[in-house]
Amino acid sequence: MVEPDPRRRVKLYLLNADRQWVDRGTGHVTSSYVERLKGVSLIVRSETDGTILLESKIQPDTAYTKQQETLIVWSEAENYDLALSFQEGNSCEEVWAKICAIQGRDPSVEVTQDIIEESEDEHFEEMPVAASPIELPPCELSRLEEISELLSHASLSPVRKEKFAQAIESEGYIKQLLDLFHVCEDLENLDGLHHLYEIFKSIFLLNRNELFEIMFADNTIFDVVGVLEYNPSQPLPDRHREYLKNIAKFKEVIPICKPELLNKIHQTYRVQYIQDVILPTPSVFEENILSTLTSFLFFNKVEIVGMIQEEENFLPSLFAQLTDDETDDEHRRDLVLFLKEFCTFSQTLQPQSRENFFKTLSNLGVLSALELILGLEDEKMKSAAIDIFSYIVEFSPSMVREFILKEGQSQDDDDLLINLVIEQMINDTDPELGGAVQLMATIKLLIDPENMLPTSNKTEKTEFLGFFYKRSMHVLTAPLFANTVAEMPSKDDFQTAQLQSLILELLTFCVEHHAYHIKNYIISKDLLRRVLVLLKSGHAFVALCALRFMRRIIGLKDEFYNRYITKGCLFKPVVMAFLENGNRYNLVNSAMIDLFEFIKSEDIKTLCSHIVENHMKDLETVSYVNTFKNLKARYDQQQDRLKDKPCLDGATSLLQNNRFRRDARTLEEEEEMWFEQDDDVDDSEPIVPMNDVPKSKLDADLDQINRFLESKKVREASDSRDSPPRIINKSISIALKTGTLNNSPVNSPHGSPGSPGSPPGSPSPVGTPCPTPNCSPQTPTSSPQTDQNSITQKRPGLVGLVDYPDEDSEEEDEDEVPTAKRQRIAT
């Protein structure tokens, strides 16, 4: 048994409630690490029986006071003060030095913490100047536990971090600790190795760039990695050094001439490995605790990108080999992966430097190289190419659009870069479609009008969107058309359903941002009917996407869309899905009720009348919401208003059918608004805002569109029989202004094969108008205004709703559809 040191004989005093010091006994004091308290503690054992009189952990923020050279006083808790009275002054000095070392204080002070409250900023500004540097314990095996305990408290305040970092840097402490690491590893001293792990972990938390420079030097970094292999929480050490030295191989795809560039690349990879793999993952509250380490990597990557760009022949040689037909697949794969990592590093550059970087890549033909790679069958190369493409689009979508438009002048549709990207999205092999989701966001950036700029002769929006809808939209929608040929989706597995939802998300984006381009496409391809087939999918998220698509269309409150929906009876699949869902309270139920509620609250008369006249018998039993009851009431009010209006002579039958009749006094203002907006529409895409067209004009326009689509349908029917269902053109049947249903060309037996809701051999449901009393207007009776009405009906039809068929029918369509703007209606 070790005899107690007689010099450290003390009396222990406790301040009682009456503020009187009470003697609690005499003993001997020591300072050592206590596992239970997780820290260095003051321990007083009785000199009579050896029992513990005091066991108090030295807290880093407790104020200790030294008085009269032999007395140390402190507060253990509120109203609980303690004092040690030493027999020898030297013993008091030794214990006081220990307390000051743990708290990062100079032993010359008499109070370890300031009594007067002050802000941490003031404390930080004053202490480094007033206090002397800390003296660390010598690097010895027996002192490792003490060093670990000291450094564990170093990061609790900026003052201590600064002073400990200076001490470690100035005394060459890291090199001495690494020497001890080799000794401990040779002796298989696990306790010492675990203490060293905690010590270096604390050094990382000091967050000093100067210390990182020392630890990550070529002659020390592997030793640091070795120390971090001995995590006390793991039963066996990791083998990070073996991985970095023997398994992780650096491939020099293009010879690097500068040794400093090569060393910087190696260092960056190893430090990134330490941050991502070795060090514990920081919690949400510790995200910035290693901010200097992140900055160290950031500036390394900036240097690497700059040095590579300065290499005169490096990048030209890389692209030459990348596009060379003689390059073997393995080497080409290495080149693509290097280019991907190079572009990843470029994200750290400042905007101006990044712009120069991507301009350099563009001048070297990076987009042409990506086009070549996407045409190969190597999935790993294609995945890397998609990442590079996403970086370029994110930084400069206009640069990519310019390339696509330029190559479109000489390339076929199948070879266009944008179509190769869409094909990659459609054919993503990942079960979770992670790559497809990334590409969907990239395509959305490309077709977003918000980031399109005007060019010298015409707007980028007009030029690129026209190109996209004519050359690429059929590639995007091909899987949707192929899956909705029948009344049920052809395939309904999870991966197919996910792909359909991504396509629908893009189409919904188009409805919100592309106005007449997507309107033309929806009408000419009868796209909404195909989308509504997905309401019968077994995956609720797909049905919701289909419903959201229709909701966005209706949300535009565009009268042309409304007429298209009512003439095609496109609420029938919605109502059927609503009834099949029953009274289940789920997202599908809520979304459908919201759709009907929107129509009622916004008073969309066309749709309100259509729903009440055709589907109210199915919906009137739904009583758990008042939506349908209120919808019927609104319809009845509208009908009452129409009956109470005085009928104009000779126009009785027209008034009965005119749900959208407008005040004649507003006609001039509406026409003026249309002509004011007309300047913003490109002549190649002449579109009339349908909300501003009076009903008589609208009916005449719809007649002309219907005749055009019917003639086109007959011409294309034979061509589409043997072709795969990439795009299936649907005729949009619209009741004619005059004549009966039996004589209407709408009932033409020629229908597109495989339309949803109509088995092969039966007429398309689009061709049969909904059985509503007001579906086919009657011929007006003779009246003094008959001539004027006939003149109105003979005015030029609506123009601009031009279909974008395949290339072989483009010229024929141009001959059939007039391109002149509609004439202004006389007042």
Side-chain angles (χ1 to χ4, degrees), residues 393-579:
V393 172
E394 183 179 353
F395 181 75
S396 178
S398 293
M399 183 175 75
V400 180
R401 285 192 285 261
E402 183 181 357
F403 173 83
I404 293 171
L405 289 172
K406 186 175 181 180
E407 71 162 359
Q409 300 172 5
S410 57
Q411 296 271 32
D412 295 333
D413 286 0
D414 293 339
D415 299 325
L416 292 175
L417 175 60
I418 181 67
N419 289 350
L420 291 173
V421 170
I422 295 173
E423 291 283 359
Q424 179 70 12
M425 183 189 84
I426 292 171
N427 299 317
D428 188 9
T429 56
D430 181 8
E432 299 295 330
L433 294 186
V437 173
Q438 177 188 359
L439 282 175
M440 186 266 300
T442 302
I443 295 170
K444 190 181 291 186
L445 275 175
L446 277 177
I447 62 175
D448 187 357
E450 297 297 325
N451 59 46
M452 295 183 181
L453 305 173
T455 56
S456 57
N457 51 0
K458 60 196 310 185
T459 62
E460 185 182 19
K461 175 180 176 181
T462 302
E463 190 174 9
F464 183 77
L465 289 183
F467 176 90
F468 178 79
Y469 277 85
K470 187 172 183 179
R471 306 286 297 274
S472 300
M473 182 58 99
H474 64 280
V475 182
L476 176 64
T477 56
L480 190 149
F481 278 100
N483 199 41
T484 55
V485 174
E487 295 182 1
M488 296 283 293
S490 303
K491 294 176 64 178
D492 202 28
D493 58 277
F494 179 75
Q495 191 166 3
T496 302
Q498 251 194 327
L499 177 61
Q500 305 284 311
S501 68
L502 293 179
I503 295 173
L504 283 175
E505 185 172 344
L506 274 174
L507 292 175
T508 304
F509 177 83
C510 294
V511 168
E512 293 175 339
H513 295 87
H514 290 176
Y516 56 86
H517 288 93
I518 188 65
K519 184 189 298 184
N520 291 343
Y521 194 84
I522 290 173
I523 300 300
S524 63
K525 307 301 180 187
D526 200 10
L527 179 62
L528 180 56
R529 184 182 303 280
R530 291 302 195 94
V531 169
L532 293 177
V533 173
L534 298 176
L535 289 175
K536 297 185 179 181
S537 170
H539 300 276
F541 67 89
V542 181
L544 287 168
C545 286
L547 199 61
R548 189 182 305 118
F549 179 71
M550 186 177 189
R551 173 67 173 78
R552 290 294 184 273
I553 291 176
I554 293 174
L556 296 175
K557 296 187 284 187
D558 188 316
E559 196 56 36
F560 192 83
Y561 273 134
N562 296 341
R563 294 293 295 269
Y564 160 64
I565 291 171
T566 57
K567 294 300 180 181
C569 296
L570 297 183
F571 263 100
K572 183 178 179 181
V574 178
V575 173
M576 289 176 60
F578 180 71
L579 296 176

Side-chain angles (χ1 to χ4, degrees), residues 788-807:
Q788 183 176 352
N789 291 336
S790 62
I791 292 172
T792 303
Q793 295 181 19
K794 290 180 182 179
R795 290 193 176 109
L798 180 68
V799 295
L801 290 167
V802 182
D803 185 17
Y804 291 141
D806 296 334
E807 289 79 354

Side-chain angles (χ1 to χ4, degrees), residues 472-752:
S472 300
M473 182 58 99
H474 64 280
V475 182
L476 176 64
T477 56
L480 190 149
F481 278 100
N483 199 41
T484 55
V485 174
E487 295 182 1
M488 296 283 293
S490 303
K491 294 176 64 178
D492 202 28
D493 58 277
F494 179 75
Q495 191 166 3
T496 302
Q498 251 194 327
L499 177 61
Q500 305 284 311
S501 68
L502 293 179
I503 295 173
L504 283 175
E505 185 172 344
L506 274 174
L507 292 175
T508 304
F509 177 83
C510 294
V511 168
E512 293 175 339
H513 295 87
H514 290 176
Y516 56 86
H517 288 93
I518 188 65
K519 184 189 298 184
N520 291 343
Y521 194 84
I522 290 173
I523 300 300
S524 63
K525 307 301 180 187
D526 200 10
L527 179 62
L528 180 56
R529 184 182 303 280
R530 291 302 195 94
V531 169
L532 293 177
V533 173
L534 298 176
L535 289 175
K536 297 185 179 181
S537 170
H539 300 276
F541 67 89
V542 181
L544 287 168
C545 286
L547 199 61
R548 189 182 305 118
F549 179 71
M550 186 177 189
R551 173 67 173 78
R552 290 294 184 273
I553 291 176
I554 293 174
L556 296 175
K557 296 187 284 187
D558 188 316
E559 196 56 36
F560 192 83
Y561 273 134
N562 296 341
R563 294 293 295 269
Y564 160 64
I565 291 171
T566 57
K567 294 300 180 181
C569 296
L570 297 183
F571 263 100
K572 183 178 179 181
V574 178
V575 173
M576 289 176 60
F578 180 71
L579 296 176
E580 288 176 5
N581 189 66
N583 292 331
R584 284 177 292 178
Y585 183 58
N586 52 23
L587 282 174
V588 174
N589 175 272
S590 299
M592 290 188 174
I593 290 176
D594 174 75
L595 178 66
F596 292 109
E597 186 68 30
F598 177 80
I599 294 171
K600 186 264 297 182
S601 61
E602 296 296 324
D603 195 17
I604 306 177
K605 296 180 176 58
T606 309
L607 302 182
C608 179
S609 301
H610 174 77
I611 294 168
V612 172
E613 292 170 2
N614 294 278
H615 303 293
M616 189 48 66
K617 288 184 180 180
D618 297 322
L619 298 173
E620 61 187 359
T621 58
V622 179
S623 57
Y624 54 85
V625 290
N626 294 326
T627 300
F628 304 107
K629 178 182 176 181
N630 296 337
L631 198 66
K632 179 67 166 60
R634 179 151 295 190
Y635 170 79
D636 292 339
Q637 292 173 1
Q638 177 65 16
Q639 294 302 309
D640 292 341
R641 284 197 295 269
L642 290 176
K643 290 178 183 178
D644 294 341
K645 271 190 174 181
C647 296
L648 296 176
D649 294 337
T652 303
S653 60
L654 284 177
L655 283 174
Q656 291 174 351
N657 243 357
N658 190 2
R659 299 175 191 153
F660 314 107
R661 176 176 174 79
R662 303 187 181 193
D663 193 336
R665 290 173 298 178
T666 65
L667 187 60
E668 290 184 1
E669 295 177 3
E670 293 170 343
E671 291 299 306
E672 287 296 332
M673 288 174 60
W674 181 82
F675 277 102
E676 289 175 3
Q677 296 173 354
D678 189 62
D679 293 338
D680 296 330
V681 181
D682 189 79
D683 291 339
S684 62
E685 302 286 347
I687 297 300
V688 179
M690 295 307 300
N691 286 332
D692 299 336
V693 182
K695 178 180 181 300
S696 59
K697 184 69 180 69
L698 181 65
D699 288 335
D701 294 339
L702 294 174
D703 289 346
Q704 181 171 351
I705 297 168
N706 195 66
R707 287 194 297 272
F708 161 65
L709 293 175
E710 289 294 333
S711 62
K712 175 177 177 240
K713 178 180 62 179
V714 173
R715 185 172 66 252
E716 295 181 348
S718 60
D719 297 337
S720 62
R721 289 193 186 100
D722 300 328
S723 60
R726 292 190 70 178
I727 300 180
I728 299 179
N729 295 326
K730 289 292 179 183
S731 61
I732 309 305
S733 301
I734 302 171
L736 298 181
K737 182 69 178 178
T738 59
T740 64
L741 288 174
N742 294 331
N743 297 329
S744 172
V746 175
N747 291 321
S748 171
H750 302 286
S752 299

Side-chain angles (χ1 to χ4, degrees), residues 78-96:
E78 187 175 359
N79 297 325
Y80 187 70
D81 292 356
L82 294 170
L84 289 178
S85 177
F86 289 81
Q87 182 176 340
E88 300 285 344
N90 292 336
S91 300
C92 183
E93 290 291 341
E94 291 177 4
V95 174
W96 182 250

Side-chain angles (χ1 to χ4, degrees), residues 30 71 191 258 267 316 329 348 560 611 614 702 735 773 788 809:
T30 59
L71 195 65
D191 289 339
K258 291 183 178 180
Q267 184 192 58
D329 289 344
T348 61
F560 192 83
I611 294 168
N614 294 278
L702 294 174
Q788 183 176 352
S809 61

